[in-house]
C-alpha cells in the first residue's frame, strides 16, 4: 500500500493536493485545531476527497456543550486552544449542514480517559503538558474522544 498512502505534515489550509486526489482523508487528534472553523470542511477538507470517498476524524471534546465553552471543573487548567473542544452533536451539525457528505458514524469513544492517559503521562515527561491534571480534574466525566466518519456525496 506504500504507493497508495500519502501521509503528510503540512499547514492544513495549504495542503499540496489537487481537488479529488484522495479516496479518503483521515485526521487523528489534530482536526479540531483547524477544522472547528466553519469554512474548513466545505472549502478545504472536503475538496481533497473524490465523490464517494470517505472522511474520518478523532478529536478530543466534551460529552455536551457548555455555555462558557468548558466545564467549571476545568476552569483552572483551561487554555485558549481548548475552545476547539466540542461535543459529537456539534461536530455532526458542522459537517452535516454543508450537505457535502453523509455522516456514517459519530460517537463518543468508550473510556476516553483510559485512552488519553498514556499520552498524558508521556507528554508531561517530554513536553511539559498538564493533560494528567486535566484528566484528573474532570470529575464529572465531561471529557470525550469523538470519532466521526462520513462519505462524500
Amino acid at each position: 500500500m506504500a504507493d497508495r498512502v500519502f501521509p503528510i505534515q503540512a499547514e492544513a489550509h495549504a495542503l499540496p493536493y489537487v481537488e479529488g486526489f484522495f479516496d479518503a482523508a483521515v485526521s487523528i487528534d489534530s482536526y479540531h485545531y483547524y477544522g472547528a472553523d466553519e469554512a474548513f470542511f466545505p472549502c478545504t477538507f472536503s475538496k481533497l476527497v473524490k465523490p464517494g470517498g470517505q472522511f474520518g476524524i478523532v478529536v478530543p471534546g466534551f460529552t455536551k456543550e457548555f455555555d462558557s465553552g468548558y466545564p467549571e471543573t476545568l476552569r483552572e487548567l483551561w487554555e485558549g486552544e481548548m475552545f476547539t473542544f466540542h461535543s459529537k452533536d456539534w461536530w455532526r451539525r458542522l459537517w452535516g449542514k454543508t450537505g457535502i457528505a453523509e455522516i456514517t458514524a459519530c460517537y463518543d469513544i468508550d473510556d476516553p480517559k483510559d485512552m488519553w492517559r498514556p499520552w498524558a503521562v508521556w507528554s508531561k515527561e517530554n513536553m511539559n503538558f498538564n493533560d494528567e491534571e486535566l484528566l484528573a480534574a474532570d470529575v464529572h466525566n465531561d471529557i470525550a474522544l469523538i470519532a466521526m466518519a462520513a462519505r462524500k456525496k
Side-chain angles (χ1 to χ4, degrees):
M1 297 292 294
D3 63 329
R4 301 178 70 196
V5 175
F6 302 92
I8 62 165
Q9 181 175 353
E11 168 28 60
H13 295 89
L15 296 171
Y17 297 105
V18 297
E19 193 166 321
F21 183 80
F22 291 104
D23 294 317
V26 177
S27 175
I28 309 283
D29 192 29
S30 67
Y31 192 85
H32 59 293
Y33 291 118
Y34 43 85
D37 170 356
E38 283 197 46
F40 187 75
F41 184 73
C43 298
T44 302
F45 199 58
S46 69
K47 291 182 177 182
L48 296 173
V49 175
K50 59 183 75 167
Q54 299 199 24
F55 304 97
I57 63 170
V58 176
V59 294
F62 294 123
T63 58
K64 62 183 179 183
E65 292 297 309
F66 293 88
D67 290 339
S68 64
Y70 54 84
E72 277 303 308
T73 57
L74 303 183
R75 174 188 290 276
E76 297 300 318
L77 300 168
W78 199 253
E79 297 181 18
E81 68 187 22
M82 296 163 114
F83 280 110
T84 63
F85 287 15
H86 292 287
S87 68
K88 68 180 182 297
D89 294 333
W90 188 93
W91 285 104
R92 178 186 291 276
R93 275 191 303 277
L94 183 68
W95 284 15
K97 69 183 176 183
T98 68
I100 293 169
E102 171 194 359
I103 309 298
T104 56
C106 187
Y107 59 91
D108 293 337
I109 294 172
D110 292 337
D111 303 317
K113 289 189 217 177
D114 289 342
M115 189 173 286
W116 194 326
R117 197 163 281 107
W119 162 255
V121 170
W122 183 90
S123 64
K124 184 176 183 179
E125 294 170 1
N126 295 282
M127 301 174 72
N128 202 28
F129 285 0
N130 65 358
D131 284 9
E132 272 191 303
E133 292 175 63
L134 184 76
L135 296 177
D138 181 37
V139 295
H140 299 299
N141 295 316
D142 295 312
I143 287 177
L145 290 175
I146 297 148
M148 187 164 71
R151 182 174 300 108
K152 188 170 182 179
K153 294 179 180 176

